[in-house]
Amino acid sequence: ETGVTQTPRHLVMGMTNKKSLKCEQHLGHNAMYWYKQSAKKPLELMFVYSLEERVENNSVPSRFSPECPNSSHLFLHLHTLQPEDSALYLCASSQFRGGGTEAFFGQGTRLTVV
Amino acid sequence: QKEVEQNSGPLSVPEGAIASLNCTYSDRGSQSFFWYRQYSGKSPELIMSIYSNGDKEDGRFTAQLNKASQYVSLLIRDSQPSDSATYLCAVNPTTGANNLFFGTGTRLTVIP
C-alpha cells in the first residue's frame, strides 16, 4: 500500500448531489489534512485533524464537512457544491513532533462540479 | 498579505545549469520550511526540509534559510530535464504548528 491513498481519483457531480472523498494513510502519522488546489492559486489549507480532533478550519463553507473516524482515515463530505468548487482536493498526513511537520500527500481527487 | 510568496515564473534554465528558486514568508516566528516538487497532474512530493539558518545539501539539491531576512531558497545543481516541474515552498507558521502554508509555486523548465 502506498503511503497516502485517496479515492476516487476523479469525480464529476451536480450541484445538488452529495458525495464523499476518502483518504487513508498507512504511515502511522498522527495528523491529517485536506487541501484545495485551484489553478493559479496556492494550496489552500481547509482542515487539519490532529489525534482525530479537528484543530483547524480555515473558514471553509459548510457545504464541505470533514470527518476523521480514526487516525488513519479522513473523509470530506460534499453537498450542494458550486462550480467554483471544482479543483484538485489533496489529502496529506504528517507526524507532528512539536517543531514542525513534514507532510506527505495522496494523489488527489480531481473534482468537477457541473 | 500573503503568508508565503514565490515568483510564479516560468523559470527556464539550460540542462546542466544551476536553477535558483526563491521564497519569502511573512511570519517571523516560523520554524520549519519545506520544498515540494509537483509534476503536472500529480500531487506535491517533499524533496527538502530545513529548520535552521544556513545551507542543507541533499544530492543535487541545496536548501538555504535566512530567518533574519525571512527568506528560503532552493538550488538545483546540474539541472536535468526531469527536474522540470512546479516547486512549492511551504512554511509552518508560529501559530498552529500543525498547519502548513504554501506559496503559489515556481514553474521550472530545464531545456535540453
Side-chain angles (χ1 to χ4, degrees):
Chain A
E1 286 286 359
T2 55
V4 182
T5 305
Q6 287 186 246
T7 55
R9 295 292 305 278
H10 301 274
L11 178 62
V12 179
M13 60 186 289
M15 289 188 284
T16 58
N17 291 159
K18 291 184 179 181
K19 296 286 184 184
S20 295
L21 309 185
K22 179 183 176 182
C23 177
E24 183 174 0
Q25 60 99 357
H26 307 276
L27 301 170
H29 287 165
N30 60 11
M32 295 188 77
Y33 310 75
W34 280 116
Y35 282 89
K36 175 184 179 182
Q37 188 172 38
S38 305
K40 308 292 185 184
K41 296 176 70 175
L43 277 163
E44 299 173 53
L45 180 62
M46 300 176 71
F47 302 103
V48 181
Y49 276 83
S50 177
L51 299 173
E52 301 158 39
E53 287 191 27
R54 189 190 311 179
V55 296
E56 190 72 25
N57 176 345
N58 274 345
S59 302
V60 178
S62 60
R63 57 186 184 268
F64 295 92
S65 174
E67 178 189 2
C68 187
N70 54 61
S71 61
S72 299
H73 293 86
L74 184 66
F75 295 89
L76 187 63
H77 303 300
L78 316 172
H79 65 96
T80 59
L81 294 191
Q82 304 299 310
E84 60 264 29
D85 296 322
S86 298
L88 179 67
Y89 288 84
L90 290 160
C91 173
S93 71
S94 71
Q95 183 64 23
F96 177 58
R97 293 183 292 269
T101 180
E102 297 177 341
F104 296 88
F105 286 86
Q107 292 303 304
T109 296
R110 174 68 62 184
L111 174 67
T112 303
V113 181
V114 297
Chain B
Q1 183 181 7
K2 293 181 180 178
E3 302 263 0
V4 182
E5 293 205 44
Q6 296 180 254
N7 187 329
S8 61
L11 173 66
S12 296
V13 300
E15 184 174 355
I18 296 175
S20 178
L21 305 162
N22 304 315
C23 171
T24 58
Y25 58 94
S26 60
D27 184 345
R28 181 170 289 277
S30 297
Q31 297 295 317
S32 310
F33 308 86
F34 308 92
W35 283 100
Y36 286 79
R37 177 177 61 201
Q38 186 173 24
Y39 292 113
S40 181
K42 302 293 186 181
S43 60
E45 173 193 9
L46 178 67
I47 55 172
M48 289 287 285
S49 58
I50 187 166
Y51 302 95
S52 55
N53 279 329
D55 295 0
K56 179 182 178 182
E57 186 174 318
D58 183 1
R60 295 186 295 111
F61 297 98
T62 299
Q64 299 175 315
L65 176 61
N66 184 327
K67 290 185 178 180
S69 300
Q70 295 175 239
Y71 175 92
V72 58
S73 65
L74 179 70
L75 300 178
I76 306 174
R77 291 182 301 281
D78 188 24
S79 295
Q80 302 297 309
S82 59
D83 295 327
S84 298
T86 296
Y87 289 81
L88 304 172
C89 174
V91 176
N92 273 137
T94 306
T95 56
N98 271 324
N99 296 352
L100 195 60
F101 291 109
F102 285 80
T104 53
T106 299
R107 173 73 187 161
L108 172 68
T109 300
V110 180
I111 304 168

